[in-house]
Amino acid sequence: MKKLLVFGVGLIGGSLALALKAANAGWHVTGIGRTGDSLQEALTLGIIDEAATDIATALKGVDVIMIATPVAQIGPILQRIAPHLEDKTIITDAGSTKADIANEAHKLLGNAASRFVPGHPIAGAEKSGPSAAQATLYKNKNVVLTPDGRTDPGAVQIVRELWLSTGAIVREMSPEGHDTIFAAVSHLPHLLAFALVDELAARPDAEQFFEFAASGFRDFTRIAGSSPEMWRDISLANRTALLQELDRYQSALNQLRQSLEHGDAASLQATFERASQARNAWAQHSPSALWKN
Amino acid sequence: MKKLLVFGVGLIGGSLALALKAANAGWHVTGIGRTGDSLQEALTLGIIDEAATDIATALKGVDVIMIATPVAQIGPILQRIAPHLEDKTIITDAGSTKADIANEAHKLLGNAASRFVPGHPIAGAEKSGPSAAQATLYKNKNVVLTPDGRTDPGAVQIVRELWLSTGAIVREMSPEGHDTIFAAVSHLPHLLAFALVDELAARPDAEQFFEFAASGFRDFTRIAGSSPEMWRDISLANRTALLQELDRYQSALNQLRQSLEHGDAASLQATFERASQARNAWAQHSPSALWKN
């Protein structure tokens, strides 16, 4: 049996453990954490084979360490594991931003940095915690790995195979390419939705507005119900790319405002048409569109 | 039997007809339109009792006219019905904007303008056309009526009762109040989603971005798949209120941008927290949230 040590046995780490178990992929999974509650729950649910709290002991003989915690905790964990890493141990993560984490790994892990393979599984759910974990979460979902020239190809291969056993599609790109794409299709939309709901909620007559909001508003603002701490940390970790995407968006929005102000029907329609065609084409063809329109 | 004449026998008008039939509310429903296809479909589906194409004939003995067409067609229809209106006939509509339509009615209907009751049922669906119509569409949904000081209270009462028979909750407010609320909770979100998708789609490497978009993007951009013509017309019809809401939003977004640029974690978290609390409180309590989270 190969040994996998998982920091964070919630939706992301727990689903990985369950998927490996379901695939009979030959992994013994240990969960580790500071508080016992999640670990105990993960044990009870059969997600992990073993629970650990002491890092030095837990790192003995480990083949792969998966850090599946919120992004802000990844740096501190790298720092704590660094002194105890064995030569064979490969490290990977599941954080939503990559350039900052890759940089921290190079600073904190010394020689072992070549065995750190930054990763990001593109799968989420509205629920979190061990009870939300499911063996099929990653089936046909993209998992992005962002090794660079300094990363050991053998380490990349092992992390790739780990994810392939869960049914995921494994992709590779640079940390910066990853951060730009996710700033555009995920982090920026969150920022926009948070800003809209906060602006409405701050009004003295907010209740009247919310009272008449319907299904379009519900879908548009669903991501504004996400964890404030998690999105604070993602926004800050990916600040550079996110500011660039925000600039592009604000400039596009200004142009649309001009068209509206001038009553330019043709220009409004052209924008709406391009958007609606692109959105509907995407919804028909994207893998994530298949399981829920 | 009271006589209802419906312009537009698609989702909105067709669902009203079906709901009245299901409630045994004592209405004989005639559908009217220039092309025969939708009318024939509505007849075949049992949505309307009768189809008409000639306005002068169709208006004889009618108690209530419902104009359930796209907003851009409401003015032209008011103009065409004006010469043929009987003294007893009450007119109402189902357009998404109200101040502009109320103004047009006052210009176009002469004395009959006091019997025009502007209305807006807050119910939609992703599908359209007669086949999308359903008797239960309005059950527990808000229908907003926006009469003003010049509107005949008797006419308002009749339109109110018509909607109450469908199971709807009938609300009253000023046309301007209506337009501000819907600019904020519906028209602005559409504009924001259209702008985001168009900006992404215009990039040479757009495909790479869409490829990694996931469920958050799917929900956030669902309204960007809406009809470009319909939203062009709504945006222009509600331009004044929409520009005001856009101003407020752009200013809120600028503030958030400042917090991000300065790495102000506390301010980001405060915004995200207010938004997420407001969004989740709304999702738990709104009637529209009950049928689909």
Side-chain angles (χ1 to χ4, degrees):
Chain A
M1 295 286 270
K2 294 161 287 182
K3 288 183 74 175
L4 176 70
L5 179 67
V6 179
F7 285 83
V9 289
L11 173 72
I12 298 299
S15 294
L16 171 62
L18 285 177
L20 293 176
K21 197 163 300 237
N24 265 319
W27 288 93
H28 176 272
V29 183
T30 305
I32 182 162
R34 274 193 274 197
T35 64
D37 285 2
S38 291
L39 286 180
Q40 190 51 54
E41 193 181 354
L43 265 180
T44 309
L45 292 167
I47 294 173
I48 53 175
D49 302 304
E50 199 182 327
T53 48
D54 179 65
I55 285 187
T57 318
L59 281 177
K60 291 213 170 82
V62 164
D63 295 281
V64 175
I65 297 171
M66 160 61 72
I67 309 177
T69 63
V71 284
Q73 293 173 38
I74 299 178
I77 288 173
L78 290 174
Q79 198 154 24
R80 273 155 50 218
I81 61 174
H84 311 287
L85 286 170
E86 293 180 8
D87 281 352
K88 71 160 183 180
T89 308
I90 288 161
I91 312 106
T92 186
D93 77 315
S96 309
T97 62
K98 296 273 65 81
D100 67 314
I101 291 170
N103 288 338
E104 288 209 76
H106 279 289
K107 271 190 291 184
L108 299 168
L109 294 184
N111 286 338
S114 63
R115 299 195 309 277
F116 178 71
V117 183
H120 178 198
I122 318 306
E126 277 161 68
K127 288 172 283 177
S128 59
S131 62
Q134 40 183 308
T136 56
L137 184 69
Y138 301 115
K139 209 169 159 57
N140 297 322
K141 296 297 192 315
N142 282 310
V143 171
V144 180
L145 303 182
T146 66
D148 60 24
R150 298 169 290 186
T151 318
D152 172 13
V156 179
Q157 188 52 28
I158 286 175
V159 174
R160 180 205 309 281
E161 276 163 17
L162 185 82
W163 280 115
L164 287 175
S165 350
T166 68
I169 302 154
V170 179
R171 315 289 299 265
E172 271 183 44
M173 62 178 75
S174 71
E176 293 72 24
H178 167 280
D179 286 358
T180 296
I181 288 177
F182 289 92
V185 303
S186 169
H187 312 168
L188 177 63
H190 277 80
L191 219 64
L192 300 180
F194 280 130
L196 182 85
V197 178
D198 181 45
E199 200 280 304
L200 280 179
R203 301 185 188 192
D205 53 351
E207 210 170 318
Q208 220 191 338
F209 286 83
F210 285 115
E211 199 173 344
F212 289 98
S215 60
F217 183 85
R218 184 196 60 219
D219 290 343
F220 184 81
T221 60
R222 195 187 311 274
I223 49 182
S226 310
S227 156
E229 293 77 16
M230 176 175 147
W231 284 96
R232 173 201 62 197
D233 294 338
I234 290 177
S235 302
L236 291 172
N238 200 21
R239 179 164 59 156
T240 311
L242 185 49
L243 282 171
Q244 278 167 5
E245 294 303 316
L246 186 52
D247 280 346
R248 297 182 72 138
Y249 182 74
Q250 287 185 302
S251 144
L253 195 58
N254 277 333
Q255 282 195 327
L256 194 53
R257 191 194 193 291
Q258 293 286 315
S259 303
L260 182 62
E261 198 163 10
H262 300 141
D264 186 344
S267 162
L268 288 177
Q269 179 165 0
T271 301
F272 295 175
E273 244 168 30
R274 282 190 307 260
S276 127
Q277 277 167 17
R279 202 286 171 184
N280 291 331
W282 172 78
Q284 275 176 355
H285 300 298
S286 79
S288 74
L290 296 177
W291 52 279
K292 198 175 157 190
N293 85 330
Chain B
M1 295 285 271
K2 295 162 285 184
K3 289 182 73 175
L4 175 69
L5 180 66
V6 179
F7 285 83
V9 289
L11 173 72
I12 299 299
S15 294
L16 170 63
L18 285 178
L20 294 175
K21 199 164 296 241
N24 266 320
W27 288 91
H28 175 271
V29 183
T30 304
I32 183 161
R34 277 195 274 197
T35 65
D37 284 4
S38 289
L39 286 180
Q40 191 50 56
E41 193 182 353
L43 265 179
T44 308
L45 293 168
I47 294 172
I48 54 175
D49 301 305
E50 200 182 327
T53 48
D54 179 64
I55 285 188
T57 318
L59 280 177
K60 291 212 170 83
V62 164
D63 295 282
V64 174
I65 298 171
M66 161 61 71
I67 310 177
T69 64
V71 284
Q73 292 173 39
I74 299 177
I77 288 173
L78 290 174
Q79 197 155 23
R80 273 154 53 216
I81 62 175
H84 311 288
L85 287 170
E86 292 180 8
D87 282 353
K88 73 163 181 178
T89 309
I90 288 161
I91 313 106
T92 187
D93 78 313
S96 309
T97 62
K98 296 273 65 78
D100 67 313
I101 292 170
N103 287 339
E104 288 209 75
H106 280 288
K107 273 190 288 184
L108 299 167
L109 295 183
N111 286 340
S114 63
R115 300 195 307 279
F116 179 71
V117 183
H120 178 199
I122 318 307
E126 277 160 67
K127 287 174 285 177
S128 59
S131 62
Q134 40 183 309
T136 55
L137 184 69
Y138 301 115
K139 207 166 160 58
N140 297 323
K141 296 297 192 315
N142 281 311
V143 171
V144 180
L145 304 181
T146 65
D148 61 23
R150 299 169 291 186
T151 317
D152 172 14
V156 179
Q157 188 52 30
I158 287 176
V159 174
R160 180 204 308 281
E161 277 163 16
L162 184 82
W163 280 116
L164 288 175
S165 343
T166 69
I169 301 152
V170 179
R171 315 290 298 265
E172 272 183 44
M173 61 179 75
S174 71
E176 293 72 24
H178 167 279
D179 287 357
T180 295
I181 288 175
F182 289 92
V185 302
S186 169
H187 311 169
L188 177 64
H190 277 80
L191 220 64
L192 300 180
F194 280 130
L196 181 85
V197 178
D198 181 46
E199 200 278 305
L200 280 180
R203 303 186 186 190
D205 53 350
E207 209 170 317
Q208 221 193 337
F209 286 83
F210 286 117
E211 200 174 341
F212 290 99
S215 61
F217 183 84
R218 184 195 62 219
D219 290 343
F220 184 80
T221 61
R222 195 189 308 275
I223 51 182
S226 310
S227 157
E229 295 77 17
M230 176 175 146
W231 283 95
R232 173 201 62 197
D233 294 338
I234 290 176
S235 302
L236 291 172
N238 201 21
R239 181 165 54 156
T240 312
L242 185 48
L243 282 170
Q244 278 166 6
E245 293 303 316
L246 187 51
D247 281 347
R248 296 182 74 140
Y249 182 73
Q250 288 185 301
S251 142
L253 195 56
N254 277 332
Q255 282 194 329
L256 194 52
R257 192 195 192 290
Q258 294 286 314
S259 304
L260 182 61
E261 200 165 7
H262 300 142
D264 186 343
S267 161
L268 288 177
Q269 179 165 0
T271 300
F272 296 174
E273 244 169 31
R274 283 189 306 259
S276 126
Q277 278 168 15
R279 201 291 171 182
N280 291 331
W282 172 79
Q284 275 176 353
H285 300 297
S286 80
S288 73
L290 296 177
W291 52 278
K292 196 177 159 189
N293 85 332

